[in-house]
Amino acid sequence: MIEQTFEATLYAPLFYSSSEGRAIKTQPTLSATALMHALGYRYFGLEKRYAEFGDAATQPDYSHLSDLPFFVTDMRPIAVETDERTFRSTDYRSERHFTTNDLELARQIEGTKSVPAILENSGAAYQTIRNYLGIAPGSTFEFTIWHRDDLTELPENPFFKMGIKQTGEFRAAAASLDTLVLNKYLLTEVYELDTDLLMRLMEHSTSFRRGNDPRLQHFVGPDPEFVRTEIMPEVLG
């Protein structure tokens, strides 16, 4: 089994619907489900799914990830700025948007009935604007990947894209392992690890962080040796 740890730097604004409402918010810890897709598309021949229909469109199914020959942690935030905003029209006739990290302008758009000139002149239907709060370029993250010995290691500086419309661009570099963050949803729903093993993982972790979505629950700071010897053999087979 090969283990590699990277520090990834974001070079373009990243937007995810970690939580939704009038504001679409991106949480600073990025889910391993998204990272597995990003690396799978780029380096491991994962078939892209461009459209889903029926129940599949509203009930995500990640069971195909268990067939991949690698496993990743969540992307742990090292230095993250979550002040990137895109205001996007939901008018069915067109989709127009602009992005800003100007907090004063953002507050004007979010909290006043008057329409700032920059928005009025953008051509977007301001009555239908939704506010996307994302992660700013320059933010950095740590992640670790394990894969089978018969696979080629990731390149020294892997490049991949994530987020809504794949606009978040990352460049990563090799780094020393600091803190692992494992995604509970992957372990329970995709790899179907038994309850006893998950309880032992909890005991060997610093903490457990709950999110507003089942896919955003994390084992934080598990003992790396316990993960290598107890979790990875069950995941990679």
Side-chain angles (χ1 to χ4, degrees):
M1 180 178 66
I2 296 173
E3 176 181 309
Q4 295 176 272
T5 297
F6 293 94
E7 180 174 312
T9 301
L10 179 64
Y11 285 91
L14 176 69
F15 297 95
Y16 264 119
S17 55
S18 300
S19 63
E20 293 197 24
R22 182 174 176 83
I24 312 299
K25 298 180 180 180
T26 305
Q27 292 191 353
T29 299
L30 303 180
S31 176
T33 55
L35 181 57
M36 287 196 75
H37 282 95
L39 295 177
Y41 294 149
R42 179 75 175 171
Y43 295 107
F44 295 97
L46 178 62
E47 182 182 355
K48 291 190 177 182
R49 301 183 174 192
Y50 293 98
E52 301 285 3
F53 302 94
D55 291 341
T58 57
Q59 300 175 11
D61 176 15
Y62 298 110
S63 59
H64 60 282
L65 294 180
S66 64
D67 296 327
L68 294 175
F70 69 95
F71 179 85
V72 296
T73 63
D74 291 310
M75 294 181 71
R76 182 182 71 84
I78 299 173
V80 173
E81 295 291 338
T82 55
D83 60 356
E84 199 75 22
R85 287 165 163 80
T86 283
F87 296 91
R88 196 182 296 265
S89 169
T90 57
D91 190 334
Y92 71 91
R93 294 166 297 181
S94 65
E95 180 185 41
R96 304 187 184 191
H97 64 275
F98 68 90
T99 300
T100 180
N101 57 11
D102 183 331
L103 293 182
E104 183 56 37
L105 173 59
R107 291 190 187 100
Q108 289 181 47
I109 298 171
E110 293 165 353
T112 182
K113 293 182 180 180
S114 61
V115 184
I118 188 172
L119 181 56
E120 190 171 33
N121 296 335
S122 71
Y126 63 85
Q127 301 92 336
T128 61
I129 284 292
R130 296 184 80 185
N131 179 6
Y132 288 70
L133 287 80
I135 296 176
S139 297
T140 55
F141 303 81
E142 176 193 349
F143 71 90
T144 297
I145 179 172
W146 295 268
H147 54 79
R148 297 169 188 157
D149 294 335
D150 56 348
L151 293 179
T152 303
E153 295 186 24
L154 288 181
E156 184 176 346
N157 297 107
F159 169 83
F160 53 93
K161 295 183 177 182
M162 294 171 60
I164 296 173
K165 296 191 176 180
Q166 300 285 285
T167 56
E169 299 180 1
F170 288 91
R171 177 76 66 181
S176 299
L177 174 61
D178 186 330
T179 303
L180 298 174
V181 181
L182 299 186
N183 188 280
K184 180 177 181 291
Y185 181 89
L186 265 183
L187 296 176
T188 57
E189 302 301 324
V190 176
Y191 293 96
E192 300 180 340
L193 298 193
D194 65 59
T195 302
D196 289 342
L197 182 55
L198 291 173
M199 288 299 296
R200 292 174 60 206
L201 176 60
M202 177 81 80
E203 293 169 357
H204 285 80
S205 298
T206 303
S207 64
F208 180 74
R209 186 183 306 145
R210 298 184 182 278
N212 62 342
D213 183 285
R215 292 164 293 179
L216 301 175
Q217 299 188 38
H218 320 281
F219 295 96
V220 180
D223 174 36
E225 193 58 30
F226 179 83
V227 173
R228 294 179 188 119
T229 59
E230 302 292 333
I231 302 298
M232 286 306 110
E234 295 296 322
V235 168
L236 294 180

